[in-house]
């Protein structure tokens, strides 16, 4: 690993935030309301964020035991060579699929609302090339880009969301907990899926000079997206109602399309939302693509840059695999569930195994 | 420079090709922008009839006639000096069929510039059509289409909807006028909160009954008058609220932003007086007694005495309390009419009482929401009206 390629704790938080915000933000109100059927889903998201912080903490603890090593490197030391290689492979494929999922979601939404008529390959290919170009610069280049786009995302996102206040009706958000906690619990599962992205810490932590600071970064990296998500569902449900949300493919887009402000320079704001959303898709794509490429590079001992060159066409083909939007949504749900098993449950096992092994080695339990 | 400096340069030059512009751009001059649509009962227009006689059009049932209001690009360009000054800045063109999308695409074979819906502002649905067809069927295309924005407004016309997209004023665009009129809520109680496609979808999905602004037309003049009542269960129009009933409903729900109450003195019917409402507030509380529901509504308003006829001098007016009582009585009469219409004639809840039950008694709501309209028409509504005249304008008293 290059000695100069390192990131600060603040950058880790920023990268995690950018990895998390992605395709989910446009669909989150629908997926959560579909499960819960009440306006209380913002509570589900908060609970979900808390659960994800716990998951993240386990990953950080695991990373702390193997300083300067990525998941791909330390997993073999815990489980032995073959199982380790297999787990690494699963994680590599997972990141690859997430990258292709994001790319495909990008082409679907821009094809519908922004660039109707432009063939999807013409949208996707430049996107892949620019992404590939960025990650050739290593993790520090990636982190610096994330630092640039996060403030832009934040400002424009909250601005457009609050501009929709004119069609917001607090009655649509009430009653709070009218049907008790059960709907909230039902909403947690889809809410958890939107926090996918925290798992990038398994790669990022290895690039930190002081990996013990990763815990704070992870907490910040999860709390800030929680604020984004809660704002989104509150504004969307408040304007479109619980019953209206479930029918929309991209409810957050429809929220912004549901109002016009005359008198300002701009009357419509969906292009703003799409712009920041594309930036977020881009960052999620580059981060996951990097995580996948790094895994392959470390597993096979090849040069990262050549791995990226080979990986991009593979991601392109994978992104074209789902036949329809329905398939794509299915893929998204499947990926989410995989992630929860892979980065929620598995690390806990690994951590226990690692401690047990260490304990056996020097006779004391650490 | 590496091995093949020229090759590298050539490769870099290739990237310039990406800067050539948008892939599938359409020049705006080559498009017909429509800003309003009127949906009427299927009635083939004269031109269409002639076209059909010459053998166009496949067989279809004439369910809907869609009239598009297209901004004419010719009138907006000033280069053509020979155009007559009285030429309208818009063109209304109609098509008939049983699929809204098909009608829209028919225009591609009738006009050189294809129609696009990015700037559609308003849909006017004729009452007759809304009585016969479900709203969600008629509007389905608008929801699915990616050009048309859900911010587009929906109103109903008791007469022919296409007449509301006409005007005698040269230079005005009727669709914009309709949208502008929806903004006048601070001046009159006859304009109800505007319903956009996206708000409408919430109603349609939840199955609640609701009202849509009704617009009348006469010889190129239009007026908002009363409202159309849409039943949530059938999603069809079942009747209208008159202007008075609508005002009653607005008072009941406290949704007015500005407007007036006109009343007459009990003793002297020639003495008209007007109250300009400055604030209106209605608090609705639902009470559940088993499955029987009742509502307590408390309506409060403040405003000024703005007009008073037939009094000898300005110091000789009836006492403020007396005037307030007269106005309150008038408001009560309006509200009574509205409640009677809702509970007895149409038997639907268009005042949003259901929403109060949903919020205040969420568990009870689960059991009554299916046939809420009939539960509502049997529930009791108690209301109190309190009007306060706080000032008398520029006159001292």
């Amino acid at each position: 690993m290059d000695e100069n390629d390192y990131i600060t704790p603040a950058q880790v938080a920023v990268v995690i935030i950018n990895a998390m915000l992605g395709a989910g933000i446009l669909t989150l109100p629908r997926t959560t309301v579909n499960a819960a059927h009440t306006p209380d889903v913002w509570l589900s998201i908060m609970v979900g964020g808390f659960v994800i912080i716990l998951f993240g903490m386990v990953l950080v603890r695991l990373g702390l035991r193997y300083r300067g090593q990525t998941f791909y490197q330390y997993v073999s030391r815990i489980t032995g060579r073959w199982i380790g290689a297999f787990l690494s492979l699963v994680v590599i494929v997972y990141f690859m699929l997430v990258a292709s999922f994001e790319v495909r979601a990008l082409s679907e939404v821009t094809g519908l609302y922004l660039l109707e008529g432009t063939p999807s390959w013409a949208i996707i290919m430049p996107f892949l090339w620019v992404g590939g170009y960025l990650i050739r610069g290593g993790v520090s280049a990636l982190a610096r880009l994330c630092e640039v786009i996060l403030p832009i995302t934040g400002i424009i996102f909250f601005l457009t969301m609050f501009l929709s206040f004119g069609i917001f009706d607090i009655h649509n958000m009430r009653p709070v907990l009218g049907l008790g906690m059960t709907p909230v619990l039902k909403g947690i599962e889809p809410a958890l899926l939107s926090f996918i992205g925290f798992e990038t810490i398994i790669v990022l932590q290895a690039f930190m000079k002081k990996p013990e600071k990763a815990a704070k970064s992870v907490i910040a990296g999860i709390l800030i997206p929680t604020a984004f998500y809660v704002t989104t569902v509150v504004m969307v449900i408040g304007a479109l109602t619980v019953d209206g949300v479930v029918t929309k493919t991209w409810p957050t887009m429809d929220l912004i399309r549901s109002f016009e402000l005359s008198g300002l320079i701009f009357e419509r704001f969906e292009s703003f939302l799409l712009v920041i959303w594309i930036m977020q898709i881009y960052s999620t794509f580059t981060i996951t693509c990097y995580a996948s490429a790094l895994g392959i590079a470390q597993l096979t001992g090849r040069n990262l840059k050549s791995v990226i060159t080979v990986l991009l066409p593979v991601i392109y083909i994978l992104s074209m695999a789902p036949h329809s939007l329905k398939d794509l949504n299915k893929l998204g749900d499947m990926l989410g569930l995989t992630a929860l098993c892979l980065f929620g449950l598995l690390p806990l096992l690994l951590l226990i195994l690692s401690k047990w092994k260490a304990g056996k080695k020097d006779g004391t339990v650490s | 420079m590496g091995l093949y400096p020229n090759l590298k340069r050539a490769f870099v030059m290739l990237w310039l090709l990406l800067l050539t512009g948008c892939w599938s751009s359409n020049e705006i001059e080559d498009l017909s922008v429509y800003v309003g649509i009127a949906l009427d009962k299927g009635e083939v227009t004269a031109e269409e009839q002639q076209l059909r006689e010459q053998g166009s059009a496949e067989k279809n049932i004439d369910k809907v006639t869609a009239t598009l209001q297209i901004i004419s690009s010719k009138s907006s360009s000033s280069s053509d000096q020979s155009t007559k000054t009285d030429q309208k800045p818009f063109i209304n063109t109609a098509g008939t069929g049983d699929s809204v999308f098909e009608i829209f695409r028919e225009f591609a074979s009738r006009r050189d510039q294809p129609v696009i819906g990015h700037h559609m502002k308003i849909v006017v649905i004729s009452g007759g059509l809304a009585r016969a067809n479900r709203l969600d069927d008629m509007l389905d295309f608008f929801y699915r289409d990616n050009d048309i924005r859900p911010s587009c407004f929906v109103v109903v016309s008791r007469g022919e909807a296409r007449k509301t997209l006409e005007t005698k004023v040269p230079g005005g665009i009727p669709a914009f006028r309709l949208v502008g009129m929806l903004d006048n809520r601070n001046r009159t109680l006859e304009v109800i909160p505007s319903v956009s496609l996206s708000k409408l979808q919430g109603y349609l999905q939840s199955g609640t009954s609701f009202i849509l602004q009704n617009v009348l037309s006469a010889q190129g003049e239009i007026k908002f008058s009363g409202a159309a009542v849409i039943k949530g269960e059938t999603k069809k129009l079942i009747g209208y609220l008159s202007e008075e009933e609508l005002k009653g409903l607005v008072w009941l729900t406290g949704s007015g932003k500005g407007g007036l109450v006109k009343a007459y003195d009990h003793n002297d019917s020639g003495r008209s007086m007007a109250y300009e409402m400055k604030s209106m507030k209605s608090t609705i509380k639902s009470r559940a007694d088993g499955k029987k529901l009742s509502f307590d509504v408390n309506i409060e308003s403040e405003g000024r005495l703005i007009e008073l006829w037939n009094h000898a001098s300005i110091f000789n007016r009836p006492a403020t309390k007396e005037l307030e009582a007269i106005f309150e009585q008038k408001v009560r009469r309006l509200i009574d009419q509205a409640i009677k219409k809702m509970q007895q004639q149409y038997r639907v809840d268009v005042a949003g009482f259901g929403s109060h039950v949903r919020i205040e008694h969420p568990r009870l709501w689960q059991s009554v929401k299916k046939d809420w309209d009939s539960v509502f028409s049997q529930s009791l509504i108690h209301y109190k009206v309190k009007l306060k005249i706080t000032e008398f304008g520029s006159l001292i008293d």
Side-chain angles (χ1 to χ4, degrees):
Chain A
M1 223 175 281
D2 187 357
E3 276 300 304
N4 290 321
D5 203 18
Y6 72 92
I7 43 178
T8 66
Q11 282 178 324
V12 171
V14 171
V15 174
I16 292 176
I17 297 166
N18 278 295
M20 228 178 254
L21 300 176
I25 205 152
L26 293 191
T27 51
L28 184 64
R30 171 170 51 82
T31 54
T32 47
V33 170
N34 243 337
H37 296 290
T38 63
D40 297 326
V41 290
W42 56 277
L43 284 166
S44 314
I45 290 171
M46 286 184 171
V47 177
F50 183 71
V51 173
I52 294 291
I53 287 180
L54 296 182
F55 288 172
M57 286 305 103
V58 175
L59 288 174
V60 169
R61 291 299 298 275
L62 200 55
L64 274 178
R65 299 181 68 84
Y66 305 94
R67 289 163 162 267
Q69 288 187 1
T70 66
F71 178 84
Y72 310 112
Q73 289 163 324
Y74 64 65
V75 71
S76 325
R77 289 179 55 182
I78 300 174
T79 61
R81 197 166 153 213
W82 292 108
I83 300 177
F86 172 73
L87 287 177
S88 296
L89 196 68
V90 173
V91 172
I92 289 166
V93 171
Y94 162 78
F95 277 126
M96 222 187 280
L97 284 172
V98 172
S100 19
F101 172 80
E102 298 287 331
V103 170
R104 178 64 182 272
L106 168 96
S107 98
E108 291 290 335
V109 175
T110 47
L112 183 66
Y113 291 120
L114 213 55
L115 303 168
E116 196 179 5
T118 310
S120 53
W121 63 261
I123 299 174
I124 291 179
M125 277 191 182
F127 189 82
L128 292 181
W129 291 333
V130 179
Y133 174 68
L134 174 72
I135 51 179
R136 283 167 76 93
V139 74
S140 56
L142 189 63
R144 265 175 283 146
L145 178 97
C146 289
E147 278 180 310
V148 172
I149 62 177
L150 185 65
I152 304 175
T153 305
I155 291 169
I156 297 183
F157 174 79
F158 285 104
L159 196 73
T160 47
M161 281 296 147
F162 289 125
L163 282 176
S164 76
F165 205 72
I167 54 170
F168 179 82
D169 183 358
I170 189 73
H171 285 307
N172 294 337
M173 288 308 297
R174 292 172 68 199
V176 175
L177 292 179
L179 299 176
M181 278 305 280
T182 341
V184 176
L185 297 178
K186 281 185 190 159
I188 290 179
E189 192 205 302
L192 284 179
L193 302 189
S194 63
F195 286 101
I196 300 308
F198 73 99
E199 72 278 5
T200 45
I201 189 68
I202 63 171
V203 175
L204 299 174
Q205 204 174 2
F207 294 93
M208 292 176 80
K209 281 197 168 160
K210 289 187 184 137
E212 45 295 323
K213 290 199 174 158
K216 265 188 187 166
S217 309
V218 170
I219 292 174
I222 293 167
L223 287 182
I224 291 172
T226 310
F228 274 76
Y229 291 152
V230 169
T231 316
T232 310
V233 294
V234 168
M235 295 315 281
V236 173
I237 297 172
L240 302 182
T241 76
V242 165
D243 299 291
V245 163
V246 291
T247 60
K248 311 274 191 187
T249 314
W250 311 102
T252 312
M253 271 302 287
D254 274 351
L255 166 73
I256 307 298
R257 276 157 50 83
S258 291
F259 67 93
E260 280 179 16
L261 294 179
S262 46
L264 295 173
I265 306 168
F266 299 104
E267 212 174 53
R268 306 174 168 192
F269 297 89
E270 57 260 36
S271 40
F272 286 80
L273 187 73
L274 273 179
V275 165
I276 57 161
W277 182 77
I278 288 170
M279 291 197 296
Q280 286 308 318
I281 292 272
Y282 177 72
S283 58
T284 309
F285 161 73
T286 45
I287 294 163
T288 48
C289 186
Y290 178 78
S292 176
L294 189 72
I296 298 172
Q298 288 182 340
L299 212 59
T300 59
R302 285 184 199 275
N303 182 310
L304 181 70
K305 287 183 184 174
S306 39
V307 171
I308 292 168
T309 319
V310 180
L311 192 60
L312 289 182
V314 177
I315 288 178
Y316 177 76
I317 293 165
L318 285 176
S319 75
M320 288 291 126
H323 289 294
S324 61
L325 201 59
K326 215 171 184 177
D327 284 356
L328 186 71
N329 284 335
K330 256 190 220 155
L331 174 69
D333 289 348
M334 198 198 76
L335 280 175
L337 291 175
T338 316
L340 293 185
C341 301
L342 216 49
F343 306 107
L345 303 176
L346 180 71
L348 202 61
L349 289 177
L350 289 177
L351 188 63
I352 294 167
L353 196 62
S354 158
K355 287 202 172 181
W356 178 70
K357 261 192 163 176
K360 216 168 62 170
K361 214 177 201 175
D362 47 43
T364 53
V365 180
S366 61
Chain B
M1 279 288 156
L3 270 173
Y4 304 105
N6 285 327
L7 195 69
K8 258 194 179 173
R9 271 185 209 146
F11 189 68
V12 170
M13 295 297 270
L14 265 181
W15 287 91
L16 285 176
L17 287 178
L18 290 177
L19 299 176
T20 49
C22 299
W23 187 286
S24 43
S25 62
N26 272 324
E27 294 305 324
I28 193 152
E29 289 85 358
D30 300 335
L31 295 167
S32 293
V33 179
Y34 57 86
V35 291
I37 292 172
L39 297 176
D40 279 293
K41 266 191 159 166
E43 196 181 298
V44 184
T45 56
E47 307 94 74
E48 240 187 314
Q49 191 57 47
Q50 286 179 20
L51 287 172
R52 283 192 188 181
E53 277 161 15
Q54 294 168 44
S56 92
E58 59 179 296
K59 276 260 178 290
N60 54 15
I61 309 154
D62 296 328
K63 260 192 191 155
V64 186
T65 298
T67 309
L68 263 61
Q69 181 145 81
I70 294 167
I71 303 280
S72 88
S73 55
K74 291 200 176 63
S75 68
S76 53
S77 68
S78 54
S79 60
D80 193 3
Q81 292 295 326
S82 63
T83 45
K84 280 180 248 160
T85 44
D86 63 331
Q87 196 192 350
K88 289 183 202 158
F90 62 90
I91 304 161
N92 285 356
T93 176
T96 307
D98 49 5
S99 142
V100 178
F101 184 59
E102 191 191 43
I103 299 170
F104 274 51
R105 283 293 159 95
E106 279 286 284
F107 290 117
S109 59
R110 288 170 52 182
R111 307 181 59 82
D112 55 340
Q113 300 164 333
V115 295
I116 56 147
H118 289 282
H119 293 275
M120 182 164 105
K121 303 276 189 221
I122 195 157
V123 187
V124 188
I125 301 171
S126 87
L129 186 72
R131 256 186 218 278
N133 294 287
R134 293 166 63 101
L135 270 182
D136 47 354
D137 290 347
M138 289 183 287
L139 298 174
D140 197 57
F141 161 68
F142 301 123
Y143 285 117
R144 290 179 194 268
D145 191 56
N146 55 352
D147 286 1
I148 294 165
R149 304 180 90 236
S151 62
C152 164
F153 296 113
V154 183
V155 296
V156 165
S157 171
R158 195 166 185 163
E160 275 184 289
R162 70 172 76 108
K163 293 269 165 66
T164 62
L165 292 184
E166 284 164 10
T167 181
K168 283 194 293 190
V169 191
I173 293 167
F176 290 167
R177 175 164 74 158
L178 276 170
V179 175
M181 279 159 62
L182 289 171
D183 269 343
N184 291 347
R185 297 198 54 227
N186 53 349
R187 309 289 277 185
T188 172
L189 295 177
E190 278 154 44
V191 184
I192 53 171
S194 49
V195 178
S196 63
L197 278 174
S198 95
K199 200 166 167 189
L200 186 72
Q201 195 178 24
Y203 291 141
L204 291 173
Q205 283 298 323
S206 63
T208 46
S209 304
F210 58 97
I211 50 173
L212 290 173
Q213 187 82 54
N214 177 41
V215 52
L216 299 178
S217 65
Q219 301 177 353
E221 277 295 312
I222 50 174
K223 180 187 193 304
F224 281 161
S225 164
V229 179
I230 314 287
K231 193 173 167 68
E233 202 188 318
T234 58
K235 306 193 185 352
K236 288 180 184 171
L237 186 144
I238 54 166
Y240 297 90
L241 295 181
S242 71
E243 278 180 35
E244 295 223 309
E245 288 151 1
L246 182 65
K247 276 184 202 161
L249 188 67
V250 169
W251 277 102
L252 189 61
T253 53
S255 62
K257 287 263 178 281
L260 61 94
V261 181
K262 189 191 73 181
Y264 300 101
D265 197 317
H266 300 307
N267 311 319
D268 179 1
S269 63
R271 173 181 273 185
S272 51
M273 50 182 84
Y275 165 87
E276 184 183 6
M277 178 211 104
K278 288 198 299 183
S279 74
M280 180 194 277
K281 203 174 144 232
S282 151
T283 30
I284 301 177
K285 271 247 154 281
S286 59
R287 267 189 300 162
D289 181 19
K291 256 203 163 187
K292 191 96 182 130
L293 280 153
S294 63
F295 296 94
D296 293 316
V297 187
N298 202 7
I299 299 152
E300 281 168 32
S301 168
E302 284 188 2
R304 67 164 70 102
L305 183 73
I306 193 75
E307 199 175 2
L308 184 61
W309 284 43
N310 276 3
H311 54 111
S313 86
I314 60 162
F315 299 107
N316 184 23
R317 64 162 178 83
T320 312
K321 283 266 168 282
E322 218 172 293
L323 291 172
E324 283 173 354
I326 293 171
F327 288 126
E328 276 169 15
Q329 199 192 17
K330 173 71 191 273
V331 171
R332 269 201 294 274
R333 227 187 61 226
L334 294 172
I335 293 176
D336 279 338
Q337 284 180 320
I339 292 179
K340 207 172 149 197
K341 202 80 173 196
M342 278 199 292
Q343 289 198 315
Q344 289 171 23
Q345 190 176 345
Y346 296 136
R347 306 178 75 81
V348 291
D349 167 28
V350 292
F353 283 103
S355 164
H356 287 274
V357 180
R358 178 176 64 80
I359 290 165
E360 285 155 26
H361 306 281
R363 285 184 197 280
L364 175 69
W365 174 246
Q366 294 299 314
S367 60
V368 297
K369 75 172 172 190
K370 270 210 109 149
D371 48 2
W372 170 244
D373 280 334
S374 68
V375 174
F376 165 75
S377 38
Q378 272 139 40
S379 26
L380 282 171
I381 302 172
H382 311 281
Y383 66 90
K384 269 185 260 164
V385 182
K386 181 92 198 78
L387 258 69
K388 206 165 171 219
I389 297 174
T390 52
E391 54 163 308
F392 304 88
S394 296
L395 293 182
I396 182 88
D397 206 33

